[in-house]
Amino acid sequence: MEDVARLAGVSKMTVSNVVNNRDGVSDQVRRRVLAAIRESGYRVNLSARSLKSGRTGVLGLAVPEIDLPYFSHLASLVIDAARSRGYHVALERTGAVEAGEADALAHSRILQFDGLIMSAVALNGLDDRLTEAGHPIVMLGEQDFGDRLDHVAMPNEEGVRAATLHLADQGCRRIGIVSGVPRDGVNVITRRYHGYLAALAERGLDADPPLLLPLEDMTMEAGRDTAYRMVDSGVEVDGLVAVTDTVAAGVLRGLADRGLRVPDDVRLIGFDDVPQSRFLVPSLSSVAPDHRWMAETAVDLVVQRISAPLRPAGQYVAPFELMIRESTR
């Protein structure tokens, strides 16, 4: 580091600030230090730095899948937020099962991550493995974590309620929801289904059982197949709420294959507002949570907990807006 400082004509502290991505260094000086690092072949000794500081500079991010548009988008935003705070991110896929989420907890300890951000499907606030992990954890997802853990949540009920009200205000009277079958427990399906029911009640519309259109899983293929079954069985709808944009894309394909036009015959709205939604034909209306806010908040919370592990846990719900596009106009 002293060699780099001598080459760049700066102090050793300035080199340290550049290496650790701290603020307070001008772009011109930063470029000069980076050029000196390249010229000298300097490499940070991560093991030595970890021993000295007690930290690795790495945060874990555990998500159910990495090939679904929502989670890949979220991961990108978390990586950006972490990098701006001087951290790297290690990404892990849990498969949305208990064993995968437990493995992510274990790996974060074994690999000595400074903290873990996890989108949990199977584990909930009653699971002692979360609170006994021994290092900072921030939870994402729809489970109820009470006051035991920091939790950054989607606006599930509020978002689907607003989406359903939008369809009603567009004149829809037979509004279906393409989702999983609600069961006991707290999850994305039950939370969003409750928002749908609340909106129907608010507008005095019926929640007929045939209007709950079940999915086999949360994929485009499942959305397409559900649309096929709906049309083939004669279920009449003039509006559809899809539990995610990924599912909505499949529904859009299925309706088109059966000769129904969106929005002329059926209006369709999704949830997540992933970047691909605006490029579908027709472009997809969607509930748009503030994903960047979620990523920034989750990273801030885990960094704060690294410094203050006994700080009281908090619950945070992302703001959202409706993105109205061609599929509901």
PDB file of all heavy atoms in Angstrom, residues 1 4-5 8-22 24-26 29-30 32-33:
ATOM      1  N   MET A   1       0.826  -1.200   0.000  1.00  0.00           N
ATOM      2  CA  MET A   1       0.000   0.000   0.000  1.00  0.00           C
ATOM      3  C   MET A   1       0.865   1.257   0.000  1.00  0.00           C
ATOM      4  O   MET A   1       0.525   2.261  -0.636  1.00  0.00           O
ATOM      5  CB  MET A   1      -0.937  -0.024   1.207  1.00  0.00           C
ATOM      6  CG  MET A   1      -2.089   0.970   1.112  1.00  0.00           C
ATOM      7  SD  MET A   1      -3.277   0.813   2.475  1.00  0.00           S
ATOM      8  CE  MET A   1      -4.132  -0.682   1.976  1.00  0.00           C
ATOM      9  N   VAL A   4       2.020   1.831  -3.550  1.00  0.00           N
ATOM     10  CA  VAL A   4       0.953   2.447  -4.359  1.00  0.00           C
ATOM     11  C   VAL A   4       0.831   3.928  -4.030  1.00  0.00           C
ATOM     12  O   VAL A   4       0.706   4.769  -4.930  1.00  0.00           O
ATOM     13  CB  VAL A   4      -0.386   1.723  -4.115  1.00  0.00           C
ATOM     14  CG1 VAL A   4      -1.538   2.479  -4.787  1.00  0.00           C
ATOM     15  CG2 VAL A   4      -0.327   0.298  -4.639  1.00  0.00           C
ATOM     16  N   ALA A   5       0.889   4.274  -2.747  1.00  0.00           N
ATOM     17  CA  ALA A   5       0.787   5.673  -2.338  1.00  0.00           C
ATOM     18  C   ALA A   5       1.932   6.498  -2.920  1.00  0.00           C
ATOM     19  O   ALA A   5       1.733   7.628  -3.401  1.00  0.00           O
ATOM     20  CB  ALA A   5       0.792   5.758  -0.807  1.00  0.00           C
ATOM     21  N   ALA A   8       1.331   6.980  -6.693  1.00  0.00           N
ATOM     22  CA  ALA A   8       0.211   7.882  -6.999  1.00  0.00           C
ATOM     23  C   ALA A   8       0.419   9.281  -6.430  1.00  0.00           C
ATOM     24  O   ALA A   8      -0.323  10.198  -6.768  1.00  0.00           O
ATOM     25  CB  ALA A   8      -1.085   7.293  -6.450  1.00  0.00           C
ATOM     26  N   GLY A   9       1.396   9.442  -5.555  1.00  0.00           N
ATOM     27  CA  GLY A   9       1.630  10.746  -4.944  1.00  0.00           C
ATOM     28  C   GLY A   9       0.558  11.131  -3.953  1.00  0.00           C
ATOM     29  O   GLY A   9       0.168  12.304  -3.855  1.00  0.00           O
ATOM     30  N   VAL A  10       0.058  10.123  -3.205  1.00  0.00           N
ATOM     31  CA  VAL A  10      -0.996  10.383  -2.213  1.00  0.00           C
ATOM     32  C   VAL A  10      -0.591   9.714  -0.909  1.00  0.00           C
ATOM     33  O   VAL A  10       0.446   9.043  -0.828  1.00  0.00           O
ATOM     34  CB  VAL A  10      -2.362   9.825  -2.690  1.00  0.00           C
ATOM     35  CG1 VAL A  10      -2.801  10.514  -3.981  1.00  0.00           C
ATOM     36  CG2 VAL A  10      -2.304   8.306  -2.886  1.00  0.00           C
ATOM     37  N   SER A  11      -1.439   9.880   0.115  1.00  0.00           N
ATOM     38  CA  SER A  11      -1.160   9.247   1.403  1.00  0.00           C
ATOM     39  C   SER A  11      -1.606   7.789   1.392  1.00  0.00           C
ATOM     40  O   SER A  11      -2.430   7.369   0.569  1.00  0.00           O
ATOM     41  CB  SER A  11      -1.889   9.994   2.527  1.00  0.00           C
ATOM     42  OG  SER A  11      -3.291   9.804   2.402  1.00  0.00           O
ATOM     43  N   LYS A  12      -1.070   7.029   2.326  1.00  0.00           N
ATOM     44  CA  LYS A  12      -1.481   5.640   2.477  1.00  0.00           C
ATOM     45  C   LYS A  12      -2.967   5.547   2.825  1.00  0.00           C
ATOM     46  O   LYS A  12      -3.680   4.633   2.381  1.00  0.00           O
ATOM     47  CB  LYS A  12      -0.632   4.983   3.564  1.00  0.00           C
ATOM     48  CG  LYS A  12      -0.885   3.489   3.751  1.00  0.00           C
ATOM     49  CD  LYS A  12       0.046   2.924   4.813  1.00  0.00           C
ATOM     50  CE  LYS A  12      -0.285   1.464   5.114  1.00  0.00           C
ATOM     51  NZ  LYS A  12       0.603   0.923   6.167  1.00  0.00           N
ATOM     52  N   MET A  13      -3.468   6.526   3.602  1.00  0.00           N
ATOM     53  CA  MET A  13      -4.884   6.548   3.964  1.00  0.00           C
ATOM     54  C   MET A  13      -5.761   6.729   2.724  1.00  0.00           C
ATOM     55  O   MET A  13      -6.836   6.109   2.605  1.00  0.00           O
ATOM     56  CB  MET A  13      -5.165   7.661   4.968  1.00  0.00           C
ATOM     57  CG  MET A  13      -6.631   7.748   5.385  1.00  0.00           C
ATOM     58  SD  MET A  13      -7.269   6.207   6.101  1.00  0.00           S
ATOM     59  CE  MET A  13      -6.356   6.199   7.637  1.00  0.00           C
ATOM     60  N   THR A  14      -5.301   7.548   1.779  1.00  0.00           N
ATOM     61  CA  THR A  14      -6.076   7.740   0.544  1.00  0.00           C
ATOM     62  C   THR A  14      -6.153   6.437  -0.241  1.00  0.00           C
ATOM     63  O   THR A  14      -7.211   6.087  -0.783  1.00  0.00           O
ATOM     64  CB  THR A  14      -5.444   8.841  -0.315  1.00  0.00           C
ATOM     65  OG1 THR A  14      -5.477  10.074   0.410  1.00  0.00           O
ATOM     66  CG2 THR A  14      -6.203   9.026  -1.626  1.00  0.00           C
ATOM     67  N   VAL A  15      -5.062   5.699  -0.295  1.00  0.00           N
ATOM     68  CA  VAL A  15      -5.077   4.398  -0.968  1.00  0.00           C
ATOM     69  C   VAL A  15      -6.068   3.469  -0.282  1.00  0.00           C
ATOM     70  O   VAL A  15      -6.861   2.764  -0.934  1.00  0.00           O
ATOM     71  CB  VAL A  15      -3.672   3.769  -0.984  1.00  0.00           C
ATOM     72  CG1 VAL A  15      -3.713   2.369  -1.594  1.00  0.00           C
ATOM     73  CG2 VAL A  15      -2.701   4.648  -1.760  1.00  0.00           C
ATOM     74  N   SER A  16      -6.062   3.473   1.049  1.00  0.00           N
ATOM     75  CA  SER A  16      -6.995   2.631   1.803  1.00  0.00           C
ATOM     76  C   SER A  16      -8.441   3.009   1.499  1.00  0.00           C
ATOM     77  O   SER A  16      -9.299   2.143   1.323  1.00  0.00           O
ATOM     78  CB  SER A  16      -6.723   2.765   3.306  1.00  0.00           C
ATOM     79  OG  SER A  16      -7.664   2.029   4.050  1.00  0.00           O
ATOM     80  N   ASN A  17      -8.711   4.306   1.405  1.00  0.00           N
ATOM     81  CA  ASN A  17     -10.066   4.763   1.099  1.00  0.00           C
ATOM     82  C   ASN A  17     -10.519   4.305  -0.284  1.00  0.00           C
ATOM     83  O   ASN A  17     -11.673   3.922  -0.483  1.00  0.00           O
ATOM     84  CB  ASN A  17     -10.149   6.285   1.191  1.00  0.00           C
ATOM     85  CG  ASN A  17     -10.054   6.788   2.617  1.00  0.00           C
ATOM     86  OD1 ASN A  17     -10.320   6.046   3.562  1.00  0.00           O
ATOM     87  ND2 ASN A  17      -9.658   8.037   2.786  1.00  0.00           N
ATOM     88  N   VAL A  18      -9.598   4.327  -1.253  1.00  0.00           N
ATOM     89  CA  VAL A  18      -9.936   3.884  -2.601  1.00  0.00           C
ATOM     90  C   VAL A  18     -10.163   2.375  -2.612  1.00  0.00           C
ATOM     91  O   VAL A  18     -11.150   1.881  -3.180  1.00  0.00           O
ATOM     92  CB  VAL A  18      -8.830   4.274  -3.603  1.00  0.00           C
ATOM     93  CG1 VAL A  18      -9.081   3.620  -4.965  1.00  0.00           C
ATOM     94  CG2 VAL A  18      -8.763   5.785  -3.743  1.00  0.00           C
ATOM     95  N   VAL A  19      -9.284   1.625  -1.990  1.00  0.00           N
ATOM     96  CA  VAL A  19      -9.391   0.163  -1.975  1.00  0.00           C
ATOM     97  C   VAL A  19     -10.693  -0.281  -1.313  1.00  0.00           C
ATOM     98  O   VAL A  19     -11.341  -1.234  -1.767  1.00  0.00           O
ATOM     99  CB  VAL A  19      -8.172  -0.451  -1.246  1.00  0.00           C
ATOM    100  CG1 VAL A  19      -8.401  -1.926  -0.943  1.00  0.00           C
ATOM    101  CG2 VAL A  19      -6.917  -0.275  -2.090  1.00  0.00           C
ATOM    102  N   ASN A  20     -11.113   0.453  -0.273  1.00  0.00           N
ATOM    103  CA  ASN A  20     -12.328   0.083   0.465  1.00  0.00           C
ATOM    104  C   ASN A  20     -13.567   0.827  -0.020  1.00  0.00           C
ATOM    105  O   ASN A  20     -14.617   0.748   0.617  1.00  0.00           O
ATOM    106  CB  ASN A  20     -12.113   0.331   1.958  1.00  0.00           C
ATOM    107  CG  ASN A  20     -11.121  -0.638   2.567  1.00  0.00           C
ATOM    108  OD1 ASN A  20     -11.420  -1.813   2.739  1.00  0.00           O
ATOM    109  ND2 ASN A  20      -9.917  -0.156   2.871  1.00  0.00           N
ATOM    110  N   ASN A  21     -13.408   1.542  -1.144  1.00  0.00           N
ATOM    111  CA  ASN A  21     -14.551   2.202  -1.798  1.00  0.00           C
ATOM    112  C   ASN A  21     -15.257   3.184  -0.869  1.00  0.00           C
ATOM    113  O   ASN A  21     -16.486   3.282  -0.836  1.00  0.00           O
ATOM    114  CB  ASN A  21     -15.552   1.164  -2.316  1.00  0.00           C
ATOM    115  CG  ASN A  21     -16.462   1.737  -3.394  1.00  0.00           C
ATOM    116  OD1 ASN A  21     -16.073   2.660  -4.105  1.00  0.00           O
ATOM    117  ND2 ASN A  21     -17.657   1.223  -3.507  1.00  0.00           N
ATOM    118  N   ARG A  22     -14.447   3.935  -0.088  1.00  0.00           N
ATOM    119  CA  ARG A  22     -15.035   4.919   0.812  1.00  0.00           C
ATOM    120  C   ARG A  22     -15.225   6.254   0.093  1.00  0.00           C
ATOM    121  O   ARG A  22     -14.583   6.540  -0.919  1.00  0.00           O
ATOM    122  CB  ARG A  22     -14.136   5.116   2.036  1.00  0.00           C
ATOM    123  CG  ARG A  22     -13.908   3.871   2.876  1.00  0.00           C
ATOM    124  CD  ARG A  22     -13.256   4.213   4.209  1.00  0.00           C
ATOM    125  NE  ARG A  22     -12.849   3.019   4.932  1.00  0.00           N
ATOM    126  CZ  ARG A  22     -11.586   2.592   5.024  1.00  0.00           C
ATOM    127  NH1 ARG A  22     -10.610   3.281   4.441  1.00  0.00           N
ATOM    128  NH2 ARG A  22     -11.290   1.504   5.696  1.00  0.00           N
ATOM    129  N   GLY A  24     -15.233  10.543  -0.091  1.00  0.00           N
ATOM    130  CA  GLY A  24     -14.236  11.538   0.280  1.00  0.00           C
ATOM    131  C   GLY A  24     -13.007  11.568  -0.591  1.00  0.00           C
ATOM    132  O   GLY A  24     -12.034  12.271  -0.272  1.00  0.00           O
ATOM    133  N   VAL A  25     -13.005  10.809  -1.694  1.00  0.00           N
ATOM    134  CA  VAL A  25     -11.874  10.810  -2.632  1.00  0.00           C
ATOM    135  C   VAL A  25     -12.389  11.315  -3.979  1.00  0.00           C
ATOM    136  O   VAL A  25     -13.388  10.801  -4.491  1.00  0.00           O
ATOM    137  CB  VAL A  25     -11.272   9.400  -2.791  1.00  0.00           C
ATOM    138  CG1 VAL A  25     -10.082   9.442  -3.758  1.00  0.00           C
ATOM    139  CG2 VAL A  25     -10.835   8.848  -1.437  1.00  0.00           C
ATOM    140  N   SER A  26     -11.732  12.318  -4.533  1.00  0.00           N
ATOM    141  CA  SER A  26     -12.177  12.868  -5.814  1.00  0.00           C
ATOM    142  C   SER A  26     -11.982  11.842  -6.929  1.00  0.00           C
ATOM    143  O   SER A  26     -11.148  10.933  -6.816  1.00  0.00           O
ATOM    144  CB  SER A  26     -11.405  14.137  -6.153  1.00  0.00           C
ATOM    145  OG  SER A  26     -10.059  13.818  -6.461  1.00  0.00           O
ATOM    146  N   VAL A  29      -8.329  11.762  -8.207  1.00  0.00           N
ATOM    147  CA  VAL A  29      -7.397  11.053  -7.325  1.00  0.00           C
ATOM    148  C   VAL A  29      -7.683   9.560  -7.355  1.00  0.00           C
ATOM    149  O   VAL A  29      -6.763   8.727  -7.382  1.00  0.00           O
ATOM    150  CB  VAL A  29      -7.487  11.604  -5.885  1.00  0.00           C
ATOM    151  CG1 VAL A  29      -6.699  10.729  -4.920  1.00  0.00           C
ATOM    152  CG2 VAL A  29      -6.975  13.031  -5.845  1.00  0.00           C
ATOM    153  N   ARG A  30      -8.972   9.177  -7.370  1.00  0.00           N
ATOM    154  CA  ARG A  30      -9.329   7.773  -7.410  1.00  0.00           C
ATOM    155  C   ARG A  30      -8.751   7.102  -8.657  1.00  0.00           C
ATOM    156  O   ARG A  30      -8.209   5.994  -8.579  1.00  0.00           O
ATOM    157  CB  ARG A  30     -10.851   7.611  -7.369  1.00  0.00           C
ATOM    158  CG  ARG A  30     -11.330   6.170  -7.178  1.00  0.00           C
ATOM    159  CD  ARG A  30     -12.849   6.122  -7.087  1.00  0.00           C
ATOM    160  NE  ARG A  30     -13.349   6.875  -5.954  1.00  0.00           N
ATOM    161  CZ  ARG A  30     -13.464   6.395  -4.723  1.00  0.00           C
ATOM    162  NH1 ARG A  30     -13.113   5.140  -4.473  1.00  0.00           N
ATOM    163  NH2 ARG A  30     -13.928   7.139  -3.732  1.00  0.00           N
ATOM    164  N   ARG A  32      -6.149   8.037 -10.331  1.00  0.00           N
ATOM    165  CA  ARG A  32      -4.684   7.971 -10.213  1.00  0.00           C
ATOM    166  C   ARG A  32      -4.257   6.810  -9.317  1.00  0.00           C
ATOM    167  O   ARG A  32      -3.292   6.089  -9.626  1.00  0.00           O
ATOM    168  CB  ARG A  32      -4.167   9.296  -9.646  1.00  0.00           C
ATOM    169  CG  ARG A  32      -2.676   9.510  -9.873  1.00  0.00           C
ATOM    170  CD  ARG A  32      -2.257  10.949  -9.741  1.00  0.00           C
ATOM    171  NE  ARG A  32      -2.235  11.392  -8.359  1.00  0.00           N
ATOM    172  CZ  ARG A  32      -2.919  12.423  -7.886  1.00  0.00           C
ATOM    173  NH1 ARG A  32      -3.717  13.117  -8.683  1.00  0.00           N
ATOM    174  NH2 ARG A  32      -2.831  12.769  -6.619  1.00  0.00           N
ATOM    175  N   VAL A  33      -4.995   6.601  -8.227  1.00  0.00           N
ATOM    176  CA  VAL A  33      -4.673   5.491  -7.329  1.00  0.00           C
ATOM    177  C   VAL A  33      -4.931   4.154  -8.021  1.00  0.00           C
ATOM    178  O   VAL A  33      -4.114   3.221  -7.924  1.00  0.00           O
ATOM    179  CB  VAL A  33      -5.481   5.596  -6.025  1.00  0.00           C
ATOM    180  CG1 VAL A  33      -5.337   4.331  -5.184  1.00  0.00           C
ATOM    181  CG2 VAL A  33      -5.042   6.822  -5.222  1.00  0.00           C
TER     182      VAL A  33
END
